[in-house]
Amino acid sequence: MDVMELGYDQEKDKLLHEIDQLKIENEKLKSELSTTKEISKYLNESEQRFEQLFNNISDAVYYLKIDKEGVSGNFIEVNKIAYKRLGYTREEMLNMSPFDIDYHEREELIQILESIMSTETLIFETMHVCKDGTLIPVEIKTHNVVMDGETFTLSVCRDISERKQAERVIRDTKKQYQRLVESSTNGIAVLQDDKWVFANEAALKLFGAHTKDQLLGKSIYDMLYPEFIEKYKILTKFGGKHARLNSTWKNLDGREIHTEIVSIPIIFRDRVAKQLIIQDVTERKQAEDLMIQAEKMNVVGQLAAGIAHEIRNPLTSLKGFVQLFRSGTVPNDKFLNIMESELERIDVISSEFLTLAKPYNVDFSPVDIQELLKNVIALLGTEASKQRISIDTSFLNETIIVDGVNAELKKVFINLIKNAIEVMPDGGTIKIIVENSEEAVDISIQDHGIGMTDEQLRRLGEPFFTTKETGTGLGLMVTYKIIDHHHGEMKVKSKLNEGTTFTVRLPVIT
């Protein structure tokens, strides 16, 4: 191989090597170009996602720069909610600054902006001014971001109009409630751990307190009569929509007062409490006592007048015989028999009046006894509900007819069921059972009250004897008399602390 050929081969090899290098560099450039495109695509996609998030977020977002003196330039960027909420276009907003939309005076706003600059994150409330001049309450949360050595501020503004409206409603409602409580003629008080922690003016006056300090902090048991303490505890423990307690107190002035209490569980100063609505019924109680006394005196007067009228004739006869004997006439068997007869007559008359003799309607007619009972239960249903008492019935499927006076029989069962309600102050169930008994019908009224002793059972039906705190005992006398007038009978079974059952037996029409 000559020199010329050798040189050619070397040049060729060198050229091929350079071509290979170019290929490698070309592949590298292709790879770098592909990566750049992917990065560019990723950046574009990220920018699109950010823009969607920025414009679709429910809060207004402002991007701006604040200098060290607290002076802000125009907004760098705002989202769609920001400019639409205030009634501007995006272009208009980008030519505006916080000074154009905040209702604070310039110096006040500069202080706020200085606080934003000195704090990484700040939350505060302000008012933004819309293009039409209306104000929108907003809550702003700011966050400072450092980029290329410069600090920018991102502000997220939430419209709190509904929250402010709700707060106003709550404040107004609270004020109205406070005015209602303070102007109420009933005493309204709050207790925690059975101590007074709040009392309105009516409550202070009712309990004889001239200042709140005289009552607040003291135990309720200092004034409540001991016999009502257990009932009060039951009332406040179980409560209920219609739960009420009639109670007696000795107030700070030493005066005895009668009240009706309703207890409502509440939260007071972040703690469980009891709100008492206390109605002063002292005058009503005194009036009721006077009415009861007047009723008793009226009955006594009627009895006395009746006795005086009916025994006047036999007394006149006896007086005549006495005068006759004083004149010298010797008593004989005939005179003595007459006198004895007159004395017996006086005794019979007295006995009749003691059983509350009373004329009755003798016009009997057929009465559907189960329908009558349903009417009485409907009549007394509200009263029973107030005492948390339910009335259970067990009636016969057939129609039961008795011969009697509807109004008088109705009075019998009103008296018996009312008595059952009144002996169950803590609520419970009254059972009314109708059963066949040969040619008669038995109607039983069963309560779960305190029951009666044998002595009390024995005295039932006596004039003016009653087991209730308020009553004359005449109702049961009338009941016995009506049942007797209808050729029926009434039996009573009772066990102390378990309850009483009255069973009325009436003949049926077959």
Side-chain angles (χ1 to χ4, degrees), residues 132-150:
D132 61 7
T134 57
L135 298 177
I136 298 177
V138 293
E139 180 185 77
I140 299 179
K141 182 176 182 180
T142 66
H143 185 73
N144 293 329
V145 180
V146 178
M147 294 177 56
D148 298 329
E150 292 187 296

Side-chain angles (χ1 to χ4, degrees), residues 106-118:
R106 183 176 180 85
E107 295 304 319
E108 293 177 319
L109 185 55
I110 287 175
Q111 292 179 4
I112 295 174
L113 294 173
E114 287 176 348
S115 299
I116 293 173
M117 279 296 295
S118 61

Side-chain angles (χ1 to χ4, degrees), residues 296 456 460 462-474:
K296 289 182 178 180
Q456 289 172 326
L460 282 182
E462 287 185 12
F464 304 111
F465 174 76
T466 178
T467 59
K468 296 182 291 183
E469 292 180 4
T470 59
T472 63
L474 299 177

Side-chain angles (χ1 to χ4, degrees), residues 222-322:
D222 292 343
M223 290 185 287
L224 185 63
Y225 276 19
E227 58 264 34
F228 295 102
I229 290 176
E230 193 59 35
K231 293 179 181 179
Y232 164 77
K233 289 180 178 178
I234 293 173
L235 172 75
T236 54
K237 181 178 181 180
F238 297 103
K241 186 176 180 181
H242 303 290
R244 297 174 183 269
L245 172 66
N246 290 314
S247 54
T248 306
W249 313 67
K250 180 164 286 188
N251 71 5
L252 297 174
D253 295 335
R255 183 168 54 92
E256 183 178 89
I257 56 174
H258 302 275
T259 66
E260 184 179 78
I261 300 174
V262 176
S263 175
I264 304 170
I266 63 168
I267 299 297
F268 184 77
R269 294 173 184 166
D270 300 324
R271 287 185 58 204
V272 175
K274 307 178 191 77
Q275 178 176 282
L276 300 186
I277 301 174
I278 310 165
Q279 182 180 5
D280 185 359
V281 295
T282 303
E283 292 184 2
R284 187 176 78 188
K285 180 72 166 53
Q286 291 171 347
E288 288 174 352
D289 291 343
L290 287 173
M291 287 179 63
I292 291 170
Q293 186 65 24
E295 183 182 355
K296 289 182 178 180
M297 295 303 296
N298 182 49
V299 173
V300 170
Q302 290 177 352
L303 289 175
I307 292 172
H309 175 75
E310 294 295 334
I311 69 175
R312 181 174 295 167
N313 289 336
L315 282 176
T316 301
S317 176
L318 289 171
K319 184 178 179 181
F321 281 113
V322 170

Side-chain angles (χ1 to χ4, degrees), residues 186-398:
N186 287 333
I188 298 177
V190 178
L191 289 96
Q192 288 174 333
D193 301 324
D194 295 323
K195 292 182 179 179
W196 308 96
V197 294
F198 170 82
N200 69 347
E201 289 298 323
L204 294 175
K205 183 178 178 181
L206 177 62
F207 290 105
H210 301 291
T211 65
K212 290 187 176 183
D213 291 339
Q214 289 181 296
L215 186 65
L216 301 188
K218 291 181 172 56
S219 172
I220 189 176
Y221 305 124
D222 292 343
M223 290 185 287
L224 185 63
Y225 276 19
E227 58 264 34
F228 295 102
I229 290 176
E230 193 59 35
K231 293 179 181 179
Y232 164 77
K233 289 180 178 178
I234 293 173
L235 172 75
T236 54
K237 181 178 181 180
F238 297 103
K241 186 176 180 181
H242 303 290
R244 297 174 183 269
L245 172 66
N246 290 314
S247 54
T248 306
W249 313 67
K250 180 164 286 188
N251 71 5
L252 297 174
D253 295 335
R255 183 168 54 92
E256 183 178 89
I257 56 174
H258 302 275
T259 66
E260 184 179 78
I261 300 174
V262 176
S263 175
I264 304 170
I266 63 168
I267 299 297
F268 184 77
R269 294 173 184 166
D270 300 324
R271 287 185 58 204
V272 175
K274 307 178 191 77
Q275 178 176 282
L276 300 186
I277 301 174
I278 310 165
Q279 182 180 5
D280 185 359
V281 295
T282 303
E283 292 184 2
R284 187 176 78 188
K285 180 72 166 53
Q286 291 171 347
E288 288 174 352
D289 291 343
L290 287 173
M291 287 179 63
I292 291 170
Q293 186 65 24
E295 183 182 355
K296 289 182 178 180
M297 295 303 296
N298 182 49
V299 173
V300 170
Q302 290 177 352
L303 289 175
I307 292 172
H309 175 75
E310 294 295 334
I311 69 175
R312 181 174 295 167
N313 289 336
L315 282 176
T316 301
S317 176
L318 289 171
K319 184 178 179 181
F321 281 113
V322 170
Q323 291 174 346
L324 185 63
F325 295 155
R326 281 180 177 173
S327 67
T329 302
V330 179
N332 56 45
D333 288 343
K334 180 180 178 181
F335 291 161
L336 292 175
N337 287 338
I338 294 172
M339 293 178 68
E340 186 178 13
S341 175
E342 293 299 312
L343 289 170
E344 287 178 357
R345 183 182 174 193
I346 291 173
D347 182 60
V348 169
I349 292 170
S350 300
S351 298
E352 287 178 350
F353 272 98
L354 287 174
T355 58
L356 196 61
K358 181 182 178 182
Y360 286 95
N361 188 346
V362 294
D363 297 326
F364 279 23
S365 61
V367 177
D368 185 338
I369 197 67
Q370 294 190 129
E371 189 63 29
L372 182 144
L373 285 168
K374 290 176 183 177
N375 293 335
V376 171
I377 292 168
L379 183 66
L380 298 176
T382 301
E383 185 175 344
S385 296
K386 288 181 178 179
Q387 300 295 327
R388 295 180 289 118
I389 293 173
S390 61
I391 300 177
D392 288 349
T393 59
S394 176
F395 288 170
L396 298 171
N397 292 326
E398 61 191 283

